[in-house]
Amino acid sequence: MKGQGEILKVGSNEMELVDFRIFKREGDEVYEGIYGINVAKVREIIRFPKLTELPGTPPFIEGIFDLRGVVIPVVNLAKWMGVDAPDGIEKESRVIITEFNNILIGFVVHEAKRIRRINWKDIEPASFVSGDGGMDSSKITGVTRIEDDAVLLILDLESVVQELGLYQPASGKLEDGKYNFSGYVLLLDDSGTARRIIKEALEQMGFDVIEATDGENGLRILEELYAKYGEGIASKLRLIASDIEMPLMDGFHFAANVKADPRFKMIPIVFNSSISDYFSELRGKEAGGEAYLVKFDSNLFYDEVARVVRAHIQ
């Protein structure tokens, strides 16, 4: 499944989604919820396995099972969303095995439909989404229209998993005086939580942080900085730290634009993403990134940022 990402060109501003469905019963009616997961986070899709229950866990954690020697927890998305599923749907259910933040998690879905290729420009931020079945917009990274004017919701799986307590990003305070940098870092991430964590880490290193929510926003900020500092921008803006998955313009497309512009190409870029597959790391290097980090190991983040910035200090 992860090999799907190979055929996407760096800078194409495209992504591939696994389109899956969650069905909801209301009285005698059954409604279809349309959702998507980035293919880069999907290892495989399997039939519902035999599970071992975990006593004392919430009902939406179905249990655990052994997948070729690896114990994987399984989350029932319908139960987590408070959806009353139709009777007998379990017989047709599938489990999407995902890998992100260097962990494996299985998600029960009612039907896995197809793989869709979508341009990030066609994905809107989810700030206006009220949610389905009680799910709020903080659990959705974006929305896009598909055929017949249907709307597909792209789930923020990291948010789901953190809420369940299955994953907590490594964090820690920096030793006093270990780093004493100055200048600006442009930070791109559509997640307010991620920006807060990364901003705090960069500020501990001495940087002033300018925040952007997507690649288009980031390019506008670069233009503003160039208007202010001109050719001296590289001595002011020490680093760009960018997420990959962002609506309107993703991190790869943003980086390709930066590196194609002689005014900005000397500014180093570090990717910081939840996607932990090999192909994404390769694409990051092709796009001009000087490091590819998986969210969020603070010690590794500090060391890699310091290495990259020191190599470019003018």
Side-chain angles (χ1 to χ4, degrees):
M1 180 65 69
K2 285 195 173 187
Q4 294 287 337
E6 288 181 278
I7 59 177
L8 291 175
K9 294 181 179 180
V10 171
S12 66
N13 203 36
E14 291 180 320
M15 71 177 303
E16 289 181 327
L17 290 170
V18 174
D19 172 336
F20 68 90
R21 309 300 166 94
I22 298 291
F23 296 102
K24 179 179 181 179
R25 182 182 62 189
E26 289 187 359
D28 295 331
E29 300 292 331
V30 175
Y31 298 93
E32 180 182 60
I34 307 173
Y35 301 93
I37 297 175
N38 193 331
V39 164
K41 296 180 180 179
V42 176
R43 175 175 282 199
E44 58 187 296
I45 301 173
I46 64 173
R47 293 184 179 275
F48 199 95
K50 183 177 180 180
L51 300 176
T52 299
E53 293 186 6
L54 288 176
T57 58
F60 41 73
I61 299 181
E62 292 284 344
I64 58 175
F65 78 105
D66 186 293
L67 180 67
R68 295 184 290 277
V70 180
V71 176
I72 297 177
V74 174
V75 174
N76 189 313
L77 283 177
K79 290 182 180 179
W80 176 76
M81 292 187 288
V83 169
D84 185 12
D87 295 334
I89 195 70
E90 294 80 8
K91 295 179 182 178
E92 304 299 326
S93 293
R94 295 292 185 267
V95 176
I96 300 179
I97 307 298
T98 65
E99 183 178 6
F100 55 92
N101 298 118
N102 289 320
I103 59 173
L104 289 169
I105 301 285
F107 291 94
V108 179
V109 304
H110 295 156
E111 184 179 2
K113 293 287 285 187
R114 55 177 287 193
I115 292 176
R116 295 181 179 274
R117 181 170 292 189
I118 296 175
N119 194 295
W120 277 105
K121 200 167 186 65
D122 296 326
I123 298 173
E124 302 174 45
S127 56
F128 63 89
V129 175
S130 60
D132 177 66
M135 183 170 59
D136 62 62
S137 62
S138 67
K139 305 303 185 295
I140 306 168
T141 61
V143 299
T144 188
R145 293 198 176 276
I146 57 175
E147 61 272 7
D148 300 323
D149 279 335
V151 175
L152 181 148
L153 308 180
I154 302 171
L155 288 185
D156 183 358
L157 295 184
E158 298 94 290
S159 177
V160 175
V161 172
Q162 287 185 40
E163 180 179 310
L164 298 179
L166 298 175
Y167 165 75
Q168 293 295 330
S171 60
K173 293 293 182 182
L174 190 61
E175 296 177 27
D176 290 340
K178 184 173 183 179
Y179 299 117
N180 189 27
F181 291 107
S182 61
Y184 293 105
V185 171
L186 175 58
L187 169 62
L188 291 82
D189 204 303
D190 63 325
S191 166
T193 299
R195 288 200 308 275
R196 176 182 56 79
I197 294 171
I198 301 166
K199 180 180 179 182
E200 289 176 358
L202 291 166
E203 288 177 341
Q204 287 188 67
M205 300 179 76
F207 296 109
D208 293 313
V209 178
I210 303 170
E211 299 179 55
T213 55
D214 59 67
E216 288 189 355
N217 186 202
L219 290 178
R220 287 194 296 269
I221 290 173
L222 284 176
E223 292 289 348
E224 293 170 1
L225 290 173
Y226 189 82
K228 183 175 182 180
Y229 297 113
E231 294 182 0
I233 187 173
S235 64
K236 298 292 184 179
L237 183 59
R238 297 299 190 184
L239 181 76
I240 296 171
S242 179
D243 188 19
I244 302 300
E245 300 175 283
M246 296 178 289
L248 302 179
M249 181 184 291
D250 73 347
F252 294 140
H253 190 48
F254 165 79
N257 275 274
V258 171
K259 294 303 179 181
D261 193 319
R263 299 174 300 167
F264 308 131
K265 65 180 183 181
M266 75 294 293
I267 302 169
I269 298 174
V270 170
F271 290 111
N272 190 47
S273 173
S274 63
I275 302 175
S276 50
D277 74 309
Y278 175 69
F279 297 113
S280 294
E281 185 174 351
L282 281 181
R283 292 183 71 205
K285 291 179 180 178
E286 291 176 20
E290 301 199 27
Y292 187 99
L293 304 173
V294 177
K295 296 175 182 174
F296 182 72
D297 182 326
S298 56
N299 291 328
L300 181 60
F301 182 83
Y302 292 136
D303 291 344
E304 283 296 279
V305 166
R307 177 187 66 80
V308 170
V309 172
R310 284 170 175 159
H312 288 80
I313 287 179
Q314 297 183 5

